[in-house]
Amino acid sequence: MDDADFLIVGGGVYGTALAYEIVSTGSSVTLVEADRLATRASGGPGKRGVRANGRNSRELPLVHEALAQWPSLSELLGAETGFERLGGLMLVDSAPEQGEIGWARAEAHQRLQATFGLASRLLARDDLAALEPGVAPSAAGALFNPDEGIADQRSTALAYAAAAGKLGASIRESSPVLDINPGSRPAVRLRDGTTLRARRAVVLATNHGTNALLERSAMPVLPLWTMAPQVLMVQAKDDYQPRHLVGHLAKTLSVKPLSDGITMISGGMRGRWDPRTNTGRPVDASIGESLDVAASVFPALAGGALMTADAGSPETYTPDGLPYLDFLDADRRIFVATGWHGHGFAIAPAVARHAADWLTSGRRPDVLAPFRIRLR
Ligand SMILES: Cc1cc2nc3c(=O)[nH]c(=O)nc-3n(C[C@H](O)[C@H](O)[C@H](O)COP(=O)(O)OP(=O)(O)OC[C@H]3O[C@@H](n4cnc5c(N)ncnc54)[C@H](O)[C@@H]3O)c2cc1C
């Protein structure tokens, strides 16, 4: 038996950030990870976008806080997160005189973001072309946020884990949890037969592994599913790269310039996820589609060399389009943080700080109230 105040299952960015924030309050933490740290959604190639654009209003207070945290996070944790404040563009194709809604949508997003203190502004075509010269003439403008950027998901999770370890958190890799035993002192059973007990709560930061673990523990599963987003790495001709983190209001696209000259293309195209083997692989048809969409927005990406196609990082989705952050009805000592919809990374620093406050004080911060698990 090895007791801690909080037992965290899962060593992605959420498990490690929660470990750091909880141990910083003076509570003891043990984190167990099935594999190595940061090998699933918080692993894989490339970087992650740190963006406000395109989010539900309920996430905007968190993204506002997180955008303030990111620039100094490496210094706080004592290790590099790879954050680069590139600025983010959400492109709009249609002009209002064409009777399309692109601008109206962009204006509505901008107005909403401004009410949450975000620095987003609308750019007309000329200003957009000056900022991002390679963008296709079809782009009529953009919503621009100078505070957005990209960061390295793996480095960030490892930085949180190292900082948590320095403050006394115990971190065990290669330790899959077989099941949870609920009760006044909930316990988890590891594959090697060890039982770990929590004095306060068990925290499931297990992302795609959440329902399988609940099922093995004879607890009700949550309404969520797993998807494997597809990531392409392209070396463009003449070493062309976009300059910003770029998304599109109407197209399935996210483009990130990486420091090695490669352009990362993702944004919602799916690979094929096999729940039996817990592996994902790219789908040829969506590779072609993704490259076509990227080239329609950045013509200089057309005909570039495809260096890698990856769909090995599973992410979890919920019917409401919002994550779940709550104690389970089945046991109020088991807390779940999952359902990040392909954009959980950017807000992790803010979410982890508030969730740690909730777990240690027993009071749910208002900013996390929208992420209740409401099953009736
Ligand atoms: C390809 C891709 C692109 C993305 N792009 C962006 C982006 O641009 N911007 C953004 O903000 N977000 C993005 N995201 C989302 C973001 O990366 C995720 O929301 C975030 O990394 C989730 O972190 P996590 O810790 O919840 O999950 P994970 O990193 O998946 O960690 C969960 C961990 O739990 C472990 N685990 C599961 N079951 C068990 C068990 N029984 N016992 C022990 N351990 C267990 C797993 O091994 C895993 O390491 C992207 C995600 C993907 C996959």
Side-chain angles (χ1 to χ4, degrees), residues 10 12-14 33-34 41-42 48-49 177 205 207 313 315 340 342-346:
V13 73
Y14 274 94
E33 162 56 43
S42 310
R48 300 281 185 257
V177 170
N207 205 7
S313 305
E315 175 74 331
W340 304 109
H343 54 244
F345 178 72

Side-chain angles (χ1 to χ4, degrees), residues 69-375:
Q69 288 172 280
W70 274 106
S72 55
L73 197 55
S74 300
E75 198 185 327
L76 176 76
L77 301 177
E80 255 314 312
T81 64
F83 178 71
E84 297 171 68
R85 193 170 171 268
L86 300 174
L89 291 164
M90 183 67 84
L91 302 177
V92 181
D93 262 359
S94 52
E97 59 274 18
Q98 290 167 339
E100 295 192 23
I101 58 168
W103 269 110
R105 266 180 78 186
E107 277 166 1
H109 276 282
Q110 193 277 330
R111 227 173 290 134
L112 179 69
Q113 291 173 12
T115 62
F116 286 94
L118 292 158
S120 316
R121 62 178 195 267
L122 287 163
L123 295 182
R125 168 75 207 174
D126 288 353
D127 294 334
L128 169 63
L131 216 56
E132 189 61 68
V135 77
S138 57
L143 187 56
F144 174 60
N145 186 322
D147 297 330
E148 294 184 355
I150 57 177
D152 185 316
Q153 62 278 12
R154 194 161 172 274
S155 304
T156 302
L158 295 179
Y160 268 122
K166 276 189 200 144
L167 294 176
S170 158
I171 296 182
R172 298 182 178 208
E173 295 179 288
S174 306
S175 301
V177 170
L178 292 185
D179 51 27
I180 313 163
N181 194 350
S184 60
R185 278 201 166 197
V188 303
R189 194 163 56 99
L190 305 186
R191 192 171 55 193
D192 68 4
T194 313
T195 296
L196 303 174
R197 214 169 269 288
R199 283 186 281 267
R200 303 278 307 273
V202 169
V203 178
L204 303 186
T206 35
N207 205 7
H208 77 285
T210 306
N211 270 351
L213 181 52
L214 292 174
E215 213 165 5
R216 290 198 300 274
S217 311
M219 299 177 82
V221 296
L222 297 172
L224 40 82
W225 67 91
T226 297
M227 202 262 270
Q230 189 162 277
V231 171
L232 309 179
M233 298 293 173
V234 170
Q235 174 78 62
K237 289 181 192 154
D238 302 326
D239 295 333
Y240 169 77
Q241 275 192 303
R243 297 176 180 177
H244 298 86
L245 166 68
V246 183
H248 197 289
L249 209 55
K251 294 183 179 174
T252 305
L253 183 69
S254 173
V255 172
K256 300 171 185 85
L258 303 180
S259 53
D260 55 4
I262 300 285
T263 299
M264 174 172 167
I265 301 171
S266 58
M269 293 290 180
R270 293 157 200 198
R272 184 164 297 127
W273 177 249
D274 182 345
R276 287 174 303 110
T277 57
N278 271 340
T279 53
R281 59 190 169 83
V283 173
D284 283 346
S286 11
I287 294 178
E289 199 180 334
S290 206
L291 292 173
D292 288 349
V293 172
S296 74
V297 172
F298 292 106
L301 290 177
L306 178 63
M307 313 302 283
T308 326
D310 182 271
S313 305
E315 175 74 331
T316 308
Y317 295 73
T318 71
D320 286 338
L322 289 172
Y324 294 142
L325 270 161
D326 206 348
F327 288 94
L328 292 178
D329 276 346
D331 189 314
R332 304 299 290 175
R333 285 174 178 268
I334 300 174
F335 185 87
V336 175
T338 190
W340 304 109
H341 282 264
H343 54 244
F345 178 72
I347 54 174
V351 172
R353 193 162 286 178
H354 287 293
D357 175 30
W358 179 1
L359 286 159
T360 54
S361 72
R363 287 183 304 277
R364 179 192 339 239
D366 289 346
V367 70
L368 297 186
F371 312 116
R372 261 186 72 184
I373 304 176
R374 256 178 206 280
L375 297 182

